[in-house]
Structures are given as structure tokens and as C-alpha cells.
Amino acid sequence: MTESSASARILVADDARKILDALRRGLALSGYEVLTAADGDEALRLALEAHPDLVVLDIMMPGPSGLEVCRRLKAAAFEAPIIMLTARDALEDKVSGLDAGADDYLVKPFALEELLARIRAHLRRYRAESQNVLKYADLTVDTATREVRRGNRPVELTPREYDLLLLFLRHPRQVLSRDLILERVWGFATAVETHVLEVYVGYLRQKLEAGGEKRLIHTVRGAGYMLREG
């Protein structure tokens, strides 16, 4: 397994079963975790739910086309690289794919080695750009600029709210006790001050859910709080 393939999850969407199976086998043999979709609706659902590190997307598919899937993903602040596949090599088709938000364009038929090389290159770039970015579900925090987004919506936080959110993002799906949070964010852990945490969790929830988004910070009765979906 190469450094680029380690822990990388790739979604491949193509309605041609032979191509889909061949790509699944080839990518799996190269060390990638592979998800597959045979139509646009399934590709869109998997991309938003499974959060792959890269998407290989055929343009011509049942349901939403690859171009439409790409547009919807970018509208939902999907940041992982997207490589478009098509049987057409006309310049206008390439321009349409790139304008939809795709990062690369590969014309069928193509050699698996070329696709693998492009995947490695895009994963290296994406990982380098993501070093300062923490993500969970549709929540994104750029630690270099301190910018917070829920989907495409910017979220303005106070310094204390930001520090609290950062702690949750660095420990997703883990129960964090009140004492631990108070010590890490405020520098103290006394039962007398736990109401401060409750107030700030409330502030944070209001701002993160101001656009009608689903709750991400949940209370775990008798234990503390957890960042999780659903």
C-alpha cells in the first residue's frame, strides 16, 4: 500500500457495470477502500454520507448526470477532488466538466495506470491543502484562518466558542466529560462552574443550527457531550 492510498476512500460512479467492476478491482488492488455507484442519485448520496477522499464520476449516468452531481456536491461544500470520466473528448465537454467544479477530466478508453497516477496526484494535493482544515459531516474549520462553515454558510464564533468547537472536532464521536472540557477550554474543572459550559454549548448549538441544520453536539446524560451525526 502506498502513502497516497493509505486510508484513502474512493467513490467510483459509472453505469457501465464492466467498467465499474474493473475500476473497483483495480483500485482495491492498489490499496484503496472503494465505494461504487451505478447512477447519479446513488453517487450523490454516497458522496455526502460516506465523505470519500476522492470521487471518480462518469458524466453520462441515469438520474442526475455526472455534471449535475458534481455541481450539487460543490454547492454542498464538498471539497474532495472529483475526476470526471467521459467517452467524449470535445473541448466544450471538458470545459463543462471543469466549470461544474471537477478537478480533472479523463477520456475513455484510458489506462488504469493513468487514472491511478492522477488519483495519487490529487490525493497528495488535497491532503496538503487539508492539513489546516478540520471537518466533520458538513462542518468545516480552517485552523489557519479560524474560519468556520456549516456547508456553505459561514458561522461567526467568539474566541471561547471557537476553542470549544475545536475540542469537539479533534475528538469526534467521543464522550467528553464536563470536567475535561472545562479544563481544556477554560483551564479549570470545578462543579460550581459547570453552568458556564452549558451556556456556551447552547450558544454554539444556536449558531451551528441557525440555518436549520441537524444537531451535531449532543448531550450524553450523566457523562458529558459528544460530537456526532444523528
Side-chain angles (χ1 to χ4, degrees), residues 140 147-157 207 210 213:
T140 305
E147 292 180 349
V148 179
R149 289 186 171 273
R150 189 81 195 263
N152 281 330
R153 182 175 65 83
V155 180
E156 297 293 332
L157 300 179
K207 292 183 177 182
E213 298 91 346

Side-chain angles (χ1 to χ4, degrees), residues 1 3 11 42 45 48 60 69 75 88 95 133 144 156 167 169 187 196 202 223:
M1 183 180 295
E3 180 181 353
L11 169 62
E42 188 177 14
R45 179 185 64 80
L48 294 176
M60 301 300 292
V69 170
R88 301 179 300 185
V95 170
V133 177
E156 297 293 332
L167 180 62
L169 276 169
V196 173

